[in-house]
């Protein structure tokens, strides 16, 4: 039985590293509060501040956390 060829693109890099890669839609991830999941106005600077629950964090880290929660088993919002 022949081995399957390695996939192309970002899947290939993950395959070579021994991890699975799932593509997700990143829209809204830097303007969605990871604590309460409500949309907040897109921040003008690098910090996202939620007026609903008072959460505050660097918007790139907030986006990364939100992306992780969009994949089954990808992490929690806490």
């Amino acid at each position: 039985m022949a081995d399957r060829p390695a996939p192309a693109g970002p899947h290939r890099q993950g395959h070579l590293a021994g991890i699975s890669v799932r593509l997700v839609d990143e829209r809204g991830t830097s303007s969605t509060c990871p604590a309460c999941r409500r949309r907040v106005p897109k921040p003008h600077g690098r910090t996202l501040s939620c007026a609903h629950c008072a959460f505050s964090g660097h918007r790139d880290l907030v986006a990364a956390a939100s992306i992780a929660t969009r994949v089954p088993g990808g992490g929690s919002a806490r």
Side-chain angles (χ1 to χ4, degrees):
M1 184 162 149
D3 288 332
R4 293 186 324 180
H11 289 97
R12 176 177 170 70
Q13 293 168 334
H15 176 79
L16 294 173
I19 60 174
S20 64
V21 175
R22 290 191 171 89
L23 301 180
V24 297
D25 185 6
E26 76 279 0
R27 268 185 301 197
T29 56
S30 62
S31 58
T32 301
C33 176
C36 70
R37 300 272 197 210
R38 295 176 81 176
R39 294 292 300 236
V40 295
K42 188 167 184 173
H44 297 290
R46 304 306 300 160
T47 303
L48 177 133
S49 297
C50 180
H52 307 288
C53 71
F55 174 87
S56 182
H58 191 284
R59 78 176 189 187
D60 291 342
L61 298 177
V62 168
S66 295
I67 288 171
T69 63
R70 293 183 181 194
V71 179
S76 67
R78 296 181 230 194

